[in-house]
Amino acid sequence: MPEYACARLASVPNESGPNHSGTASSDHPYADRFPVNRRLPEQGRPRAEVLAELEQIATEEDRAWEGGKVSGTMYCGDHDHYAYLTEAFGRFAHVNALQRDICPSMTRFEGEIIAMTLDLMHGEAVTGTEPGGLVTTGGSGSILHAVLAYREQAYAAGNRSPNLVKPETAHVAFDKACHLLGVELRVVPVDPATTLVTAAAMADAIDEHTIALVGSAGNYPYGTIDPIASLGELALERGIGLHVDGCLGGFVLPFGEELGYDVPEFDFRVPGVTTISADTHKYGYALKGTSVLLFRDQALRAGQYFHQVSWSGGKYMSPSIEGSRSGGLLAATWASMVHLGRDGYRRYAADIFSTAEAMMKVVRAQEDLRIMGSPTFCFSFASDELDIYHVADHMRPKGWRFNGQQYPDAIHMAVTRPQTQPGVVEAFEADLVEAIAYARERSAAGVAAESGAIYGGVPGGLAGLTDDVTDFIEQIMDSMLDAQMSLPPQ
Ligand SMILES: *Cc1c(COP(=O)(O)O)cnc(C)c1O
């Protein structure tokens, strides 16, 4: 692979900020401090010793986000809540949710998670069909299952070359699902000022093979909400599905609406909405590894089913893509929801919405910056005057970890509970003002920035990548996985 990429990968900046004393960004994290396991140890180590090692590592890594400078990812950020979820998880972690005969609790937990999420998404507004749902492993899992459901429905109707229409801003998980499931994806550009798609533009992309439209509430790049009501009308008019991606917003926007923020209806109150994804492992404040997919009509859900009754291992049937599933994750998700209740979610949402407003006010006060569209709890900002990645570069050593975006270059902040701590907005303002001065200087001098448009903060320094260099990107991924497998020299 080109030397450039190796050098860049080896020097991936420590995204975790200055408090981080570990070696997480090196190719051999922690090798200098803890035993390296080159083979399965013949004699195991005492539990207390292993747990102490884990405790030390986790405590150090937690410092990277505890100060409230990391976008997204740690949605709750409350160690008491995490301990509570871990206790719930621990009671059922060894249970396989596939085997309901010995763990009827899973039927209860999953059923109630779905019922509570349906309640939040106004399932009571559904008439004429019976709504249903599915707990999946995450947002991408919910989207994959939804696309599978629409594809199976299309196949059953004789449509063997189905396509899905999404606004450009809808999550890349739709691209992945279409890739995996052999569905054509049609991408519709958004209005650069509002960042939103129009129903008219979506209508132009529809043909007789279109199985569903996608709208986001809100979308990942800008936190803006697509015009779901008009997309719903369009879907009904054309007799196709409409998936609302509420992976990010599903557990926070409904409370924003209750609190009086400007949140348009995006759920089952909109007649054309046929499926909704909402991530419990984001603003549902559950453990990582769960999301909910809801169906207006259980008939569509049947597309998930797989059965093979002539296998020597026995008649097999699974209601979704996964086989064995952790009972612990269902128990912890359920525990998060019943502990917080509407009141808890609303209180957290109030803090998140007001913090996001305060942070956006700081951004709006900077003449060189502009906010993309009209966001709510998660926002993105760009600049026509300077290279915005210099801003990210300058703020990173202070502990800030944003996500980089492109077309236009922008930086993204999903406001979560850690940002609602006292002092975070003030620190954001002080560091941002300084960063703008730095960025102005660097941009004027024509110096290239380090940060780039990489989702989720994985390797920096790769800003110039395009799909024209697929081989090159594959080499980078090879080298990422090779690094994961490699051990430090003896
Ligand atoms: C995070 C996210 C997803 C994908 O979810 P994963 O849990 O990362 O698989 C999909 N859509 C939106 C809007 C998201 O923010």
Side-chain angles (χ1 to χ4, degrees):
M1 91 188 267
E3 211 170 288
Y4 153 81
C6 296
R8 286 300 198 131
L9 274 179
S11 66
V12 171
N14 184 347
E15 304 260 346
S16 319
N19 301 329
H20 196 280
S21 58
T23 49
S25 63
S26 86
D27 282 350
H28 307 296
Y30 302 105
D32 52 340
R33 292 193 289 153
F34 297 111
V36 173
N37 297 291
R38 290 175 197 283
R39 48 184 65 88
L40 185 63
E42 179 58 35
Q43 300 297 330
R45 295 162 60 195
R47 285 176 184 155
E49 185 188 312
V50 175
L51 288 174
E53 185 176 318
L54 292 176
E55 179 61 27
Q56 190 178 338
I57 294 174
T59 304
E60 285 177 21
E61 294 190 353
D62 279 345
R63 269 186 233 139
W65 56 264
E66 283 169 344
K69 295 179 174 179
V70 175
S71 167
T73 194
M74 297 295 164
Y75 291 84
C76 187
D78 171 349
H79 286 295
D80 289 341
H81 186 69
Y82 291 150
Y84 161 71
L85 296 185
T86 303
E87 206 173 320
F89 174 81
R91 289 301 289 122
F92 293 92
H94 48 284
V95 168
N96 186 352
L98 197 60
Q99 276 142 7
R100 299 291 164 102
D101 54 335
I102 55 169
C103 52
S105 56
M106 295 301 129
T107 302
R108 176 179 180 215
F109 296 150
E110 188 159 29
E112 293 188 5
I113 293 167
I114 293 165
M116 290 186 280
T117 312
L118 259 175
D119 173 46
L120 203 54
M121 294 296 119
H122 291 275
E124 81 285 347
V126 172
T127 52
T129 58
E130 193 57 48
L134 199 64
V135 179
T136 72
T137 54
S140 303
S142 288
I143 288 167
L144 183 62
H145 280 91
V147 177
L148 176 62
Y150 291 115
R151 188 195 74 173
E152 291 304 289
Q153 188 184 50
Y155 279 4
N159 172 6
R160 300 298 300 187
S161 45
N163 68 65
L164 184 77
V165 178
K166 77 156 205 176
E168 197 280 329
T169 47
H171 199 273
V172 72
F174 291 97
D175 301 50
K176 190 194 274 184
C178 286
H179 164 73
L180 291 171
L181 296 170
V183 171
E184 182 199 341
L185 181 67
R186 299 188 170 181
V187 179
V188 175
V190 300
D191 180 312
T194 63
T195 77
L196 300 178
V197 84
T198 61
M202 293 287 275
D204 286 345
I206 298 174
D207 69 9
E208 71 276 19
H209 294 296
T210 301
I211 52 179
L213 307 174
V214 175
S216 306
N219 60 58
Y220 166 83
Y222 308 122
T224 48
I225 303 167
D226 284 316
I228 304 298
S230 52
L231 296 183
E233 276 172 32
L234 176 62
L236 282 177
E237 192 186 295
R238 302 299 177 94
I240 57 180
L242 169 59
H243 179 85
V244 172
D245 184 10
C247 282
L248 195 59
F251 280 88
V252 66
L253 288 175
F255 301 103
E257 181 187 341
E258 289 181 15
L259 291 162
Y261 286 92
D262 182 20
V263 176
E265 290 183 4
F266 64 86
D267 50 38
F268 287 125
R269 286 172 294 178
V270 178
V273 172
T274 45
T275 48
I276 303 175
S277 47
D279 285 358
T280 35
H281 74 182
K282 288 181 177 159
Y283 292 96
Y285 312 115
L287 294 177
K288 285 285 181 264
T290 60
S291 168
V292 180
L293 172 62
L294 299 175
F295 300 88
R296 176 180 290 272
D297 183 353
Q298 289 184 0
L300 185 63
R301 188 184 62 177
Q304 323 290 319
Y305 304 162
F306 178 81
H307 49 86
Q308 167 58 280
V309 294
S310 56
W311 181 43
S312 57
K315 300 184 196 314
Y316 180 95
M317 55 208 90
S318 68
S320 63
I321 294 175
E322 290 82 25
S324 298
R325 286 193 296 150
S326 167
L329 288 176
L330 290 178
T333 300
W334 178 87
S336 182
M337 297 174 80
V338 298
H339 168 64
L340 288 170
R342 281 187 172 267
D343 175 60
Y345 282 111
R346 195 182 300 113
R347 272 188 286 116
Y348 288 179
D351 290 345
I352 287 169
F353 272 81
S354 64
T355 302
E357 279 208 324
M359 291 179 85
M360 286 192 273
K361 195 171 162 215
V362 167
V363 174
R364 287 198 176 100
Q366 315 305 317
E367 60 180 76
D368 287 349
L369 302 184
R370 64 187 166 93
I371 299 255
M372 302 294 296
S374 302
T376 52
F377 62 95
C378 149
F379 63 92
S380 163
F381 55 100
S383 176
D384 300 321
E385 312 302 326
L386 44 85
D387 181 347
I388 197 76
Y389 295 146
H390 282 306
V391 172
D393 280 358
H394 191 73
M395 292 180 79
R396 190 189 304 125
K398 297 177 188 294
W400 293 98
R401 186 182 180 282
F402 305 110
N403 293 311
Q405 303 183 161
Q406 53 191 345
Y407 320 126
D409 291 351
I411 52 187
H412 168 274
M413 180 77 209
V415 179
T416 57
R417 293 196 66 233
Q419 279 82 54
T420 66
Q421 301 171 87
V424 175
V425 175
E426 291 77 6
F428 176 69
E429 180 165 28
D431 293 342
L432 182 67
V433 167
E434 227 182 84
I436 292 170
Y438 168 90
R440 250 191 229 130
E441 221 171 78
R442 290 292 170 119
S443 302
V447 185
E450 279 284 316
S451 299
I454 305 282
Y455 181 90
V458 275
L462 304 172
L465 293 184
T466 68
D467 277 329
D468 305 340
V469 288
T470 298
D471 289 350
F472 179 64
I473 295 177
E474 282 174 5
Q475 286 171 345
I476 290 170
M477 287 194 272
D478 279 348
S479 82
M480 284 163 74
L481 290 179
D482 289 350
Q484 270 164 235
M485 292 190 311
S486 80
L487 295 172
Q490 302 252 18

